[in-house]
Amino acid sequence: MRARHSSADMSQVYIYVVDRDFGFAPNPFHGSCTLATCKPRLRRVCKAGDWVIGVGGRRLKATGRCVFAMRVTKTMSFDRYWHDPGSFDKRPVRNGSLRMMVGDNVYSRDPSTGQWHQADSHHSNSDGTPNPHNLNNDTGIDRVLISTDYFYFGKSAPLIPVSILEDLGYRNGRNYRSFSLTQGTPLIAWLHDAYGNRKNLVVDDPFDFDNGHKRYSVHGNKIS
């Protein structure tokens, strides 16, 4: 008889290095933590119930520190995200506050042509026109990761115990690393034990928040 496995048994823990932290990807504001842009390979495989954990890297001078951790509670297409009333606050407002400037709800399709529309955002050109490099990279997978069960530390990112990372065999590198939920449980348990009272909060500003008004292009990895 084939053993049955619950969805929790099949959940994964994905860990990647956060190179830039503007509050855009992930976006921890307005009551949820969302990953709607960048990381297309990760967004392709990640599903509800999985954990995504962002660890700081050398650029942020935060190697081994937990910038954020989110248990994905649901996924959406870009169109559904754009039209979802609960996600309107995630639409970027470039003449608003920094929290509004870095809104990540930026993509929708023209219903008549099927062409992608990119809102004036952190991923647009400096004049607000669409940046084709970012658009093609972001929309390569039509999936937004959404969490209402998350930790976001930003500049106050705590140092993950070395023993936990060593037991995982985790090393900073490109792309992401995937672990079973059983393997990742010590890291998740540490977060809940040490910081359970800071769940679903923005503990501190993103590392790059002061530059949230600037634009990023995947072409040349440039911020301007």
Side-chain angles (χ1 to χ4, degrees):
M1 181 179 293
R2 183 174 297 177
R4 293 185 178 181
H5 299 281
S6 69
S7 58
D9 294 332
M10 305 302 289
S11 296
Q12 297 289 303
V13 176
Y14 298 99
I15 305 178
Y16 74 89
V17 175
V18 179
D19 183 54
R20 301 171 301 277
D21 182 39
F22 291 89
F24 182 71
N27 182 300
F29 304 120
H30 312 296
S32 64
C33 190
T34 49
L35 191 60
T37 62
C38 303
K39 298 297 177 186
R41 293 180 181 177
L42 176 58
R43 288 187 287 113
R44 181 185 302 276
V45 299
C46 201
K47 62 186 183 303
D50 291 341
W51 279 86
V52 178
I53 299 174
V55 178
R58 284 180 294 178
R59 180 187 167 275
L60 299 182
K61 299 180 180 178
T63 301
R65 293 166 61 184
C66 181
V67 179
F68 79 97
M70 57 186 278
R71 183 178 67 85
V72 178
T73 49
K74 59 183 173 181
T75 66
M76 288 185 182
S77 67
F78 286 122
D79 260 342
R80 184 180 171 194
Y81 189 46
W82 178 260
H83 293 290
D84 174 35
S87 303
F88 286 172
D89 283 344
K90 294 273 191 173
R91 291 185 181 182
V93 179
R94 293 301 295 179
N95 61 353
S97 67
L98 281 174
R99 289 192 176 202
M100 297 306 298
M101 282 187 185
V102 295
D104 68 349
N105 190 357
V106 302
Y107 293 110
S108 60
R109 284 187 186 272
D110 185 305
S112 59
T113 66
Q115 295 297 308
W116 286 108
H117 168 73
Q118 182 190 67
D120 186 3
S121 65
H122 179 65
H123 266 195
S124 302
N125 291 320
S126 58
D127 61 358
T129 57
N131 180 314
H133 305 287
N134 289 338
L135 188 152
N136 291 333
N137 184 63
D138 293 339
T139 60
I141 175 65
D142 188 2
R143 178 180 286 167
V144 178
L145 308 182
I146 300 171
S147 176
T148 53
D149 183 15
Y150 63 93
F151 300 87
Y152 181 82
F153 300 104
K155 289 189 292 186
S156 292
L159 187 66
I160 301 170
V162 173
S163 59
I164 291 178
L165 294 180
E166 287 182 344
D167 287 346
L168 279 173
Y170 175 78
R171 297 290 185 274
N172 278 15
R174 299 186 66 179
N175 210 341
Y176 63 84
R177 297 285 305 280
S178 175
F179 304 92
S180 69
L181 184 59
T182 299
Q183 291 173 306
T185 290
L187 175 52
I188 296 167
W190 167 73
L191 283 166
H192 282 93
D193 290 345
Y195 302 101
N197 63 337
R198 299 184 183 183
K199 205 172 189 181
N200 299 335
L201 299 174
V202 177
V203 175
D204 203 348
D205 287 342
F207 280 87
D208 296 308
F209 202 41
D210 289 346
N211 288 317
H213 61 286
K214 294 186 177 181
R215 317 286 184 140
Y216 169 76
S217 178
V218 69
H219 182 60
N221 193 30
K222 295 178 180 178
I223 298 170
S224 58

